[in-house]
Amino acid sequence: KLLRFVGPGILVSQALLDPGNIESDISQADTSGYKLLWLLLLAHILCIFVQSLAARLGVVTGRHLAQHIRQQYPRPLATVFWLLTELAIIGADIQEVIGTATALHILTGIPIWAGVVITAVDSFLFLYVQRLGVRVTELVFGLMVTTLAVCFWVEMVLIKPDAREVIKGMVIPRIPQGSAVQAVGIVGCVLMPHNLFLHSALVGSRKLDRREETREGAIREAMRYFRIETAVSLVYAYLINMAVVVVFCKAFELMRAEGIAYVASLAEGANVLSHVLGNGSKYVYAVGLLAIGQSTTMTGTLSGQYVTEGFWNMPVKPWQRVLITRSISLVPALIVALTAAAHIDLLSEIINVLQAIVLSFTIIPLLKLQDHAEVMGPEFAFGRVARMSAAFLTLAIVTLNAYMVASVIPLDSPSMYVALCAVVIVYVLVLSYTAAFPLRCVWSRRMQFCCDNARPHVSFALAYALHRVATDMVAYPDKYPKVHGSWLRDARNIDTVAAGGRGGQTKTRSQKPKSGASGRASTEVTTEAAKMAAEAAAAKAAAEVAAASISGLLSSPKHDCKPGRSAGA
């Protein structure tokens, strides 16, 4: 059964291995050696938890995160979320295109700008893989991740690192002096905002039995297998990232021991390995970088597709969606890559800060949605412990990201301090507004709460309103031809009420009335019964009209809070 659910976690794990993360691993090896391997492991464990929540949202509701944000937040705020997410995707594309172009430069010697152009064209050609189906796409991307793993694991075996230092770095928490920013950057590089949108959408490719009698069991089974698959995939990604750090830690140690100057960057990593392990090692490094760079470019395209489709509900064909999202994501990435390739290290740092900012605006809606029974259903909404854990997680991520943003602002003048304070204040206020803003389903629940607590007054007002409508219908039947006709047909059986169904016999209006006092009494009873029946039918018809109007309003897509069920029902 597990094989049915294998795939989304593999695609998601690639974002943790993109060229931006490879460069972060190289920088970590240079500044702190093995000492932050424990934090890298902790960041991957945290990522397993967050990505499992994204998958949980998609499995339970059948919709992905972008669709929920569009539905539950006002259009202006949802548009801000979309713009921030697109900026994060563009930033990731820049790193991935530059990484792929760097790999082509190492393998063939072509200039970086030519590699960027080739990467752009190759990315469009590679979109054809999606037409072969989701399972084939997942298989191809899994092979690319394995290519990167084999390349760095082979180099790790060849370079022979100190196993004791590696284990110590994984199990002993410590942050070297001057490495605080690097430590925060590790967490920011592992938790990618567009990955949450992607994971919540990819799990929808697995069909579940959502019939009422089997729905809960099928969802719980799917969540269990997706958690296992996500954990295995991200542990696999950690082992690859750890191998990159270990390889370059040992390589930098050997370079320093020989007194040779080096540059800790993505482009110069090939020269470092070539000096330590021989000329062939740089080609192994380039092959792994090319595989993961091309692969993560494609997952960025998928993320952009789901984000644009979810936020704007675009009714277009698949190739049109890909063309639109690629135009949004890749074209700006190519422009920046061509004009700023010489400053890729600074550009990568700015992109990591951007990812950290966007992550806070993504994780807050994700956790808020999980907390509401109107979205998740009462059986899957957060309990007290999960709610407290989610609040702590949100606070920790926002604090770390705020520290990372503040750390990159140079505080060399009073005006920069003022700018920093202004940035922090705006950041906190916007995040607080995002966290405190009630979802649309919460507004519906509060309205229902008010009605429940004012039921006698509401009932009296409703009864009075229906009485006035019914009176109006009786007095002016021409104003309500359809409704008046329906209750008038019901009133033709008023003799049933008058006779009380005695002996199973009923009287109709076509029967000849009795003469004398008894006849007059019977006529009066019949007339009174007709009036009562007509008023009752009119009130019933008015109630049905009102109920239909309210039901139509509540069951519209804007107010439908429970996936798969009408709010009116």
Side-chain angles (χ1 to χ4, degrees):
K1 278 190 174 182
L2 179 61
L3 294 177
R4 283 185 54 216
F5 301 94
V6 170
I10 296 175
L11 292 179
V12 166
S13 69
Q14 294 178 87
L16 282 67
L17 301 167
D18 68 356
N21 277 309
I22 300 296
E23 185 165 16
S24 176
D25 293 338
I26 296 174
S27 177
Q28 176 187 341
D30 180 45
T31 58
S32 56
Y34 305 101
K35 295 178 181 179
L36 291 180
L37 286 176
W38 68 272
L39 185 59
L40 187 64
L41 176 61
L42 183 63
H44 281 74
I45 294 173
L46 181 62
C47 187
I48 291 172
F49 176 69
V50 175
Q51 291 296 154
S52 297
L53 289 180
R56 183 175 184 267
L57 178 69
V59 171
V60 173
T61 65
R63 307 183 204 180
H64 55 81
L65 181 58
Q67 293 172 325
H68 280 291
I69 292 178
R70 176 178 60 86
Q71 181 187 24
Q72 298 293 349
Y73 283 92
R75 176 59 62 85
L77 192 55
T79 303
V80 172
F81 286 140
W82 172 73
L83 289 173
L84 289 173
T85 307
E86 287 293 350
L87 286 176
I89 294 173
I90 291 170
D93 267 338
I94 294 172
Q95 293 177 320
E96 291 151 8
V97 169
I98 289 292
T100 306
T102 301
L104 291 174
H105 172 70
I106 297 170
L107 290 171
T108 64
I110 63 175
I112 294 291
W113 65 266
V116 169
V117 175
I118 293 174
T119 300
V121 176
D122 183 56
S123 298
F124 279 104
L125 294 176
F126 206 78
L127 292 175
Y128 182 78
V129 175
Q130 295 185 47
R131 301 184 62 181
L132 302 178
V134 175
R135 302 295 284 179
V136 175
T137 303
E138 293 168 350
L139 177 61
V140 171
F141 289 164
L143 291 175
M144 290 188 170
V145 174
T146 303
T147 301
L148 177 68
V150 170
C151 290
F152 278 102
W153 287 347
V154 167
E155 293 189 331
M156 184 172 63
V157 171
L158 294 175
I159 207 167
K160 298 178 181 178
D162 188 345
R164 181 178 299 178
E165 287 297 320
V166 173
I167 296 174
K168 186 189 296 185
M170 292 177 60
V171 299
I172 299 178
R174 48 185 172 163
I175 298 179
Q177 187 175 3
S179 300
V181 177
Q182 179 69 38
V184 175
I186 291 173
V187 179
C189 289
V190 171
L191 291 172
M192 309 290 283
H194 58 278
N195 241 10
L196 302 179
F197 292 95
L198 179 63
H199 205 174
S200 64
L202 289 175
V203 296
S205 61
R206 272 53 174 182
K207 302 301 181 183
L208 303 180
D209 187 0
R210 295 185 180 272
R211 292 177 298 173
E212 192 66 29
E213 61 271 15
T214 59
R215 175 178 176 272
E216 183 174 353
I219 289 176
R220 292 194 183 279
E221 181 185 56
M223 288 194 301
R224 181 171 66 254
Y225 286 124
F226 276 128
R227 278 195 299 266
I228 295 172
E229 191 253 354
T230 300
V232 171
S233 299
L234 297 188
V235 169
Y236 186 40
Y238 168 74
L239 294 176
I240 299 173
N241 278 315
M242 183 198 70
V244 177
V245 174
V246 168
V247 166
F248 280 97
C249 276
K250 186 64 177 180
F252 292 151
E253 285 180 6
L254 295 175
M255 296 283 283
R256 286 191 291 265
E258 296 178 12
I260 301 175
Y262 63 88
V263 177
S265 67
L266 191 69
E268 294 298 322
N271 295 330
V272 171
L273 295 177
S274 178
H275 179 81
V276 174
L277 295 175
N279 196 49
S281 62
K282 72 176 184 180
Y283 296 110
V284 176
Y285 169 79
V287 168
L289 189 60
L290 177 64
I292 199 63
Q294 188 62 70
S295 179
T296 50
T297 300
M298 297 309 304
T299 55
T301 300
L302 286 175
S303 300
Q305 176 180 336
Y306 287 124
V307 166
T308 305
E309 185 182 54
F311 275 107
W312 299 107
N313 194 25
M314 297 175 58
V316 294
K317 297 178 181 179
W319 69 269
Q320 293 173 328
R321 290 199 301 263
V322 172
L323 179 62
I324 292 171
T325 54
R326 178 55 70 182
S327 299
I328 294 173
S329 301
L330 185 60
V331 172
L334 290 175
I335 294 173
V336 176
L338 288 169
T339 58
H343 307 283
I344 185 60
D345 294 334
L346 176 61
L347 185 62
S348 181
E349 186 177 1
I350 295 173
I351 290 172
N352 289 336
V353 172
L354 175 64
Q355 298 276 8
I357 294 173
V358 177
L359 177 63
S360 300
F361 290 96
T362 306
I363 199 154
I364 288 176
L366 174 65
L367 296 178
K368 282 189 67 175
L369 290 165
Q370 308 267 345
D371 191 39
H372 291 292
E374 294 88 350
V375 175
M376 302 294 291
E379 63 272 39
F380 296 109
F382 274 166
R384 180 177 300 178
V385 176
R387 189 178 298 115
M388 294 176 61
S389 302
F392 175 77
L393 175 64
T394 303
L395 183 62
I397 290 176
V398 169
T399 303
L400 289 174
N401 290 337
Y403 178 80
M404 184 177 180
V405 172
S407 64
V408 300
I409 299 179
L411 301 178
D412 50 4
S413 65
S415 60
M416 296 307 297
Y417 278 98
V418 174
L420 175 61
C421 292
V423 169
V424 171
I425 290 173
V426 171
Y427 181 71
V428 171
L429 287 177
V430 174
L431 284 180
S432 300
Y433 178 79
T434 304
F437 192 89
L439 305 180
R440 279 183 173 143
C441 60
V442 177
W443 284 111
S444 300
R445 187 178 66 204
R446 289 180 179 176
M447 291 173 63
Q448 182 62 42
F449 176 79
C450 293
C451 290
D452 290 343
N453 284 272
R455 182 165 296 170
H457 307 286
V458 173
S459 300
F460 174 78
L462 181 61
Y464 179 74
L466 292 179
H467 169 70
R468 292 296 301 269
V469 172
T471 303
D472 193 50
M473 284 182 176
V474 174
Y476 306 101
D478 294 338
K479 291 172 59 178
Y480 311 94
K482 294 183 179 179
V483 177
H484 189 269
S486 65
W487 63 257
L488 190 59
R489 282 192 299 272
D490 294 336
R492 291 197 181 106
N493 296 322
I494 46 85
D495 278 359
T496 303
V497 178
R502 184 180 55 186
Q505 297 177 356
T506 58
K507 298 183 180 181
T508 63
R509 300 180 104 183
S510 60
Q511 291 176 319
K512 184 178 179 179
K514 297 179 181 180
S515 60
S518 60
R520 288 193 299 271
S522 176
T523 302
E524 291 175 0
V525 171
T526 303
T527 303
E528 186 66 23
K531 186 184 297 184
M532 292 174 59
E535 291 180 356
K540 177 183 176 183
E544 289 174 351
V545 171
S549 300
I550 296 172
S551 178
L553 175 65
L554 293 178
S555 60
S556 64
K558 182 179 294 186
H559 299 280
D560 184 13
C561 300
K562 203 164 189 179
R565 299 182 184 179
S566 168

